[in-house]
Amino acid sequence: MLEHVELFFKSIFIDNMVFAVFLGMCSYLAVSKKVATAVGLGAAVIFVLAVTVPMNWLLDKYLLQDGALVWLGPEYADYNLSFLSFILFIATIATMVQLVEIVVEKFSPSLYNSLGIFLPLIAVNCAILGGSLFMQAREIETLGLAFNYGVSSGIGWFLAILAIAAIREKIRYSNVPAPLRGLGITFIITGLMGIGFQSFGGMLTGGGDDAEEANEQVNQVLQPEVIAPSEEEIVVEENKEIDEKVISYNDVNK
Amino acid sequence: MALLSKKDTNLITDPLADNNPITIQVLGICSALAITAELKASLVMAISVMFVLGAGNVVISLMRNIIPSKIRIIVQLIVVATLVIIVDQVLKAYAYELSKTLAVFVGLIITNCIIMGRFEAFALANGPWRSFLDGIGNSLGYGVILVIVGFFRELLGSGTLFGYPVLGDPIMKTGLYATGYENNGFMIIPPAALIVVGIIIWVQRSRNPALVEEN
């Protein structure tokens, strides 16, 4: 459970799609003039990420990774199809976006009217493909975590576009130097927001510079603490319960 | 020039300044910002995009009359994805270290808005030769911004260019560092790229007031 919470907050604040890796900047800049449209696009991104990241996780796990085809039989163990990831991931995304569009149009015309125009935009949104590629690069272990990663990075993107849209609505009343108006000031504001978001870097790591190293250190520090009070039986039972929950959660998802 | 008519020359020169894909058309921002901490990575990225956009524009332009318009997005994505896989495999074979630096951003060329944007806006309506020139022109405009941002970020942030120390040794205190100069660590972190691009836009629009946006 702890790794779910950690991944959730990490993807929203520390590895924020917009401020840390600049994914989805094109639509972030193009559709952030009004809060209402920004909310629509943000919601669509959360939804599509939540669907495509787990799907691509399954593809990666059972088709693309080195030796992933071993379930077909031992003679397939040497195959490594990972060079096909790009084409398969983008095909999944384009198909899913098309499918979502059809389903939404059929069952909820009102949602389609508010969301529909953004859906074709989303197929070519870097944040969606980026979500899948980062999921692959970071070797996320379980389907549950992949789903969590999709949802939380979507929420991070949603927060970012909501914030910039609100700021842009206000900045219309400010006296910005003429050459900076529009795009220029948006870039600089985003940069300043990015610096603000950098301060979240210490949230899970205790202020370390290198998040990965610090994370390992935190885990090493935390583990003895968990083990130390385990001399008391009650705590041990609690720990067992937590462990069982973790296992059952994963099993359900498999 | 016999090879290029005046109209064709404009296809290449326009995107370099007044119709720049990054600062004016607002396309392809994602990768432009993420990999510009080093000049070398910026240059390789610019060359990769030039290959993908040049070749992709030709392919799409050749197929423009047989692609059904309803599924054109998927066709375009498949063409780009194939070209990007070629780039990725070549980088992994001949420049492994660099492909580690670029990491997922090579794959993200697929969703680089410049590519889809030029397919939609140009290659679907023009012949192969003109589309090729348009692709080269736009990727040059993209590359110019990348190289400028990469140049300033690497020079001010690490005091190096292409990995060579040009300002002296910060530890031995030679060269410029002897006068008390320090590297600006701020230029290395991701948000600095946004601010550098913002300043480039500011400079460009101050020089050419016709580009200034309404609020």
Side-chain angles (χ1 to χ4, degrees), chain A residues 183-234:
Chain A
L183 194 59
I185 196 72
T186 314
F187 265 99
I188 291 176
I189 292 170
T190 312
L192 296 175
M193 286 162 77
I195 295 170
F197 264 68
Q198 292 254 311
S199 62
F200 286 116
M203 192 170 71
L204 291 176
T205 61
D209 280 329
D210 192 340
E212 291 298 317
E213 270 183 28
N215 261 340
E216 280 168 19
Q217 284 172 1
V218 168
N219 285 341
Q220 282 167 1
V221 174
L222 276 179
Q223 274 164 359
E225 281 178 8
V226 175
I227 294 164
S230 69
E231 291 164 7
E232 297 170 34
E233 288 180 1
I234 305 161

Side-chain angles (χ1 to χ4, degrees), chain B residues 64-80:
Chain B
R64 69 184 187 280
N65 293 325
I66 54 170
I67 303 175
S69 71
K70 274 193 175 171
I71 58 159
R72 65 178 195 284
I73 302 269
I74 293 185
V75 174
Q76 288 165 3
L77 284 173
I78 298 296
V79 171
V80 186

Side-chain angles (χ1 to χ4, degrees), chain A:
Chain A
M1 207 53 221
L2 191 65
E3 76 249 30
H4 276 275
V5 176
E6 192 185 322
L7 182 73
F8 187 76
F9 285 106
K10 201 171 168 222
S11 330
I12 293 182
F13 294 110
I14 301 170
D15 291 331
N16 186 288
M17 282 271 187
V18 173
F19 299 125
V21 284
F22 306 116
L23 294 181
M25 284 298 284
C26 307
S27 28
Y28 169 86
L29 291 168
V31 195
S32 61
K33 287 194 176 115
K34 279 190 185 146
V35 170
T37 46
V39 169
L41 184 68
V45 165
I46 296 181
F47 185 72
V48 175
L49 267 174
V51 178
T52 55
V53 171
M55 281 198 62
N56 283 334
W57 185 87
L58 288 174
L59 276 180
D60 187 43
K61 178 88 174 170
Y62 294 107
L63 208 58
L64 296 171
Q65 272 176 10
D66 196 6
L69 287 172
V70 76
W71 55 273
L72 280 175
E75 68 270 29
Y76 291 96
D78 291 338
Y79 285 77
N80 182 357
L81 296 180
S82 53
F83 67 94
L84 284 176
S85 331
F86 296 153
I87 209 162
L88 267 181
F89 284 1
I90 199 70
T92 315
I93 289 167
T95 327
M96 281 314 299
V97 169
Q98 200 83 52
L99 205 68
V100 166
E101 199 180 343
I102 295 168
V103 170
V104 171
E105 190 180 11
K106 171 92 178 143
F107 291 105
S108 172
S110 63
L111 184 65
Y112 179 78
N113 286 336
S114 57
L115 210 73
I117 45 168
F118 299 118
L119 282 172
L121 261 180
I122 280 177
V124 288
N125 187 331
C126 342
I128 309 291
L129 181 64
S132 292
L133 288 175
F134 271 114
M135 175 272 299
Q136 190 189 33
R138 286 175 188 163
E139 293 169 355
I140 285 179
E141 282 155 14
T142 64
L143 186 59
L145 281 172
F147 176 72
N148 182 341
Y149 181 71
V151 173
S152 50
S153 38
I155 294 174
W157 199 88
F158 177 85
L159 286 180
I161 196 170
L162 189 62
I164 194 74
I167 292 174
R168 283 181 86 170
E169 281 198 355
K170 287 284 172 200
I171 213 154
R172 211 169 296 150
Y173 306 108
S174 314
N175 189 14
V176 179
L180 262 182
R181 270 181 206 149
L183 194 59
I185 196 72
T186 314
F187 265 99
I188 291 176
I189 292 170
T190 312
L192 296 175
M193 286 162 77
I195 295 170
F197 264 68
Q198 292 254 311
S199 62
F200 286 116
M203 192 170 71
L204 291 176
T205 61
D209 280 329
D210 192 340
E212 291 298 317
E213 270 183 28
N215 261 340
E216 280 168 19
Q217 284 172 1
V218 168
N219 285 341
Q220 282 167 1
V221 174
L222 276 179
Q223 274 164 359
E225 281 178 8
V226 175
I227 294 164
S230 69
E231 291 164 7
E232 297 170 34
E233 288 180 1
I234 305 161
V235 180
V236 171
E237 280 174 4
E238 276 180 8
N239 277 344
K240 272 182 186 170
E241 273 182 19
I242 293 168
D243 284 345
E244 279 169 10
K245 273 180 194 165
V246 170
I247 291 164
S248 61
Y249 185 76
N250 290 338
D251 285 344
V252 167
N253 280 299
K254 275 172 190 169

Side-chain angles (χ1 to χ4, degrees), chain B residues 44-202:
Chain B
V44 170
M45 192 68 182
I47 294 170
S48 311
V49 169
M50 190 182 293
F51 167 74
V52 174
L53 189 52
N57 253 356
V58 172
V59 173
I60 292 292
S61 161
L62 287 172
M63 296 199 300
R64 69 184 187 280
N65 293 325
I66 54 170
I67 303 175
S69 71
K70 274 193 175 171
I71 58 159
R72 65 178 195 284
I73 302 269
I74 293 185
V75 174
Q76 288 165 3
L77 284 173
I78 298 296
V79 171
V80 186
T82 317
L83 291 166
V84 170
I85 288 176
I86 295 173
V87 170
D88 186 45
Q89 296 295 316
V90 169
L91 279 181
K92 271 186 184 147
Y94 294 105
Y96 189 72
E97 286 302 311
L98 210 57
S99 80
K100 282 281 163 216
T101 320
L102 293 175
V104 300
F105 291 100
V106 179
L108 287 172
I109 297 176
I110 298 172
T111 47
N112 193 323
C113 328
I114 289 186
I115 298 189
M116 298 301 285
R118 293 328 291 175
F119 282 3
E120 286 279 308
F122 203 90
L124 280 175
N126 288 281
W129 174 240
R130 281 172 60 80
S131 300
F132 176 72
L133 292 178
D134 179 75
I136 297 296
N138 274 287
S139 45
L140 276 176
Y142 171 83
V144 164
I145 302 289
L146 243 68
V147 168
I148 294 175
V149 178
F151 175 82
F152 282 111
R153 281 184 76 190
E154 188 172 353
L155 184 68
L156 299 176
S158 329
T160 59
L161 285 176
F162 289 111
Y164 295 109
V166 290
L167 297 181
D169 192 327
I171 299 157
M172 302 297 289
K173 298 284 175 206
T174 60
L176 193 58
Y177 295 100
T179 64
Y181 173 82
E182 290 283 344
N183 281 331
N184 186 354
F186 167 72
M187 298 303 282
I188 296 294
I189 62 170
L194 285 160
I195 292 175
V196 173
V197 176
I199 293 171
I200 292 175
I201 293 174
W202 191 358

